Each structure stands twice: as C-alpha cells, then as structure tokens.
Amino acid sequence: MEESQRQKKIASVLQRDLVDILQKAATQGGMQGILISVSKVKVTVDLSVAKVYLSIFPNNKAKELILGIRSNAPLIKHELAQRTKNQLRRMPQLEFFVDDSLEYIDKIEKSLKGSDNPISDPNLLDKRKKS
C-alpha cells in the first residue's frame, strides 16, 4: 500500500529535524568522526508510529550507537516534539533501526568484482545460500 501525502509530509518533517537532533547529540557527546544520517522515515497509516532508519558511519560503531539512541528515545521524542509543535498535533512513537543497505550494496559489489570467489574458497558457498 502506498503512503498518503500526509504520511510523506510528516516523514519528511521528522527526518529533517531528527538529523539535526542526532548529529548535535553526537558532537556534544564527544563522539568525533561519527556520521549519523537518517536514510528513511516511515510513518504508519494511523500516524502513531514512525520507523526511523539510521545510516551510521563507521559501521563498527552502529550497534553501540543504536542501543544508545533507543535508550534515549523519550528524550529524542521530546526534543522533536518541541521543534514540530506548530506542525504536528501528536508526536508518533519513534522506533530506531540500523539501515544496512549500503553495507549490503558493498557486499554485492565485492562479489561482482570477483574478490569473493567461491571456486577458490569453497567456504564462501555457505554464506551465499538462501536461509
């Protein structure tokens, strides 16, 4: 089912403000060299839940950061509500996920370039099987 115009508009407002909030929190928290971007926001039909997909660079810090962001979700929601109080009546519940699509694309490119050759290394076949 395709998103309505209202869902798309709310998602874009949330995405724009979440980028500012998360990047500011990362720099104030003393995390230098970490880039957090909001790649996608999907809002449910009833506008009660917003699924936020984060792309975090470098990838090795992603799990640690997403746990910290999830634990601070009420504070992030409050800050977001303050910024959007003139645009939204109710703030949707925020759910954060790691967007690993860039990592997935990178793995596909490596496979296509031939750096992962299952003929020379048969152990790679197990990773390629569908689960």
Side-chain angles (χ1 to χ4, degrees), residues 10 13-19 21 50 52 73-88 91-92 94 96:
I10 289 173
V13 167
L14 293 177
Q15 183 174 9
R16 185 180 60 240
D17 288 335
L18 272 170
V19 168
I21 292 169
V52 181
L75 296 172
I76 295 169
K77 182 179 175 180
H78 178 72
E79 175 73 23
L80 195 57
Q82 293 299 315
R83 289 178 179 227
T84 61
K85 64 183 172 189
N86 295 330
Q87 297 166 321
L88 295 176
M91 178 57 55
L94 300 174
F96 294 98

Side-chain angles (χ1 to χ4, degrees), residues 33-98:
I34 292 180
L35 181 67
I36 301 173
S37 65
V38 180
S39 56
K40 185 190 276 187
V41 176
K42 285 191 149 198
V43 183
T44 56
V45 177
D46 62 351
L47 309 176
S48 64
V49 177
K51 293 182 179 182
V52 181
Y53 295 91
L54 302 174
S55 182
I56 300 171
F57 182 80
N59 287 341
N60 58 355
K61 303 270 187 186
K63 285 193 180 1
E64 174 187 329
L65 277 173
I66 200 75
L67 290 175
I69 289 170
R70 284 179 182 157
S71 66
N72 290 319
L75 296 172
I76 295 169
K77 182 179 175 180
H78 178 72
E79 175 73 23
L80 195 57
Q82 293 299 315
R83 289 178 179 227
T84 61
K85 64 183 172 189
N86 295 330
Q87 297 166 321
L88 295 176
R89 237 182 256 160
R90 291 186 61 221
M91 178 57 55
Q93 185 69 34
L94 300 174
E95 294 179 359
F96 294 98
F97 301 96
V98 175

